[in-house]
Amino acid sequence: MDAPNPQLLLKRPINVKAIVTPLWKDEVQQQLQGQINEIDQQLQQLDIEGQRAITAIQKQSIQPPAPQTLQQIDNIQLQVNQKKSELLEQKNQMLQNLQQVQFLELDQEVNQFQMESFFRIEPGDNLISKMQVEVVLRDGIVEEIRGDI
């Protein structure tokens, strides 16, 4: 009686690429613009909340304000400025991405994201080639699966 070939079930990353089309460009630009708008709203909200906190401290303090009150106000302002800086950095990155998308040529392939899939290997398989699998999408539809499935 022959023993069956041993097999192993493994997980691999799959690169998902998109073919640049007018529809893809529009969708990505809308997504990025939405994220930029969201960051702008967060910046406005941050200003409002920071000002409210400072105003609340000022109302509760005696006049002239004590050194610890001034320190509290400085700490709030510092936190607001740090968060603003982070948000502005994110916004700048989004604006750069938006500009890059505008310059992409139609039918060019771009990396969209990564996902994982399971696959079986057995003695004699080429592990390297089984790990190199890509899925190519055109407007969300699978156009091609590349590699050793």
Side-chain angles (χ1 to χ4, degrees):
M1 199 170 172
D2 288 328
N5 269 353
Q7 292 186 343
L8 192 57
L9 186 63
L10 299 175
K11 193 174 7 175
R12 67 181 161 201
I14 303 282
N15 289 322
V16 179
K17 292 183 170 186
I19 295 174
V20 176
T21 64
L23 178 63
W24 181 87
K25 273 183 142 180
D26 287 346
E27 287 176 354
V28 171
Q29 287 172 339
Q30 285 176 9
Q31 256 180 355
L32 288 168
Q33 192 58 56
Q35 292 171 344
I36 290 167
N37 293 344
E38 195 173 301
I39 290 173
D40 284 340
Q41 289 175 348
Q42 290 175 1
L43 285 166
Q44 287 178 336
Q45 191 63 33
L46 187 61
D47 275 338
I48 291 168
E49 289 174 10
Q51 202 51 52
R52 275 190 196 140
I54 289 171
T55 302
I57 290 170
Q58 287 172 336
K59 283 182 181 177
Q60 293 171 1
S61 71
I62 54 172
Q63 291 302 325
Q68 64 259 40
T69 302
L70 294 174
Q71 185 62 47
Q72 280 182 310
I73 291 171
D74 285 346
N75 287 344
I76 289 170
Q77 198 61 53
L78 182 65
Q79 288 174 355
V80 166
N81 288 340
Q82 284 175 337
K83 185 65 178 168
K84 263 182 161 177
S85 179
E86 290 172 23
L87 289 170
L88 288 170
E89 195 173 308
Q90 289 175 13
K91 180 179 177 179
N92 189 37
Q93 183 62 50
M94 298 289 168
L95 289 167
Q96 287 177 12
N97 292 349
L98 189 60
Q99 187 175 25
Q100 288 173 350
V101 167
Q102 291 168 347
F103 290 115
L104 290 174
E105 294 179 22
L106 294 181
D107 294 325
Q108 179 180 346
E109 288 182 12
V110 293
N111 288 323
Q112 185 115 21
F113 56 89
Q114 254 192 1
M115 57 189 331
E116 294 179 334
S117 79
F118 291 96
F119 68 105
R120 293 191 184 283
I121 60 165
E122 56 188 50
D125 285 345
N126 183 331
L127 181 61
I128 305 298
S129 71
K130 287 217 174 228
M131 292 293 293
Q132 297 171 341
V133 176
E134 293 179 335
V135 175
V136 181
L137 306 175
R138 181 182 296 272
D139 296 333
I141 309 294
V142 176
E143 184 163 288
E144 187 179 353
I145 299 173
R146 297 177 182 153
D148 188 357
I149 301 170

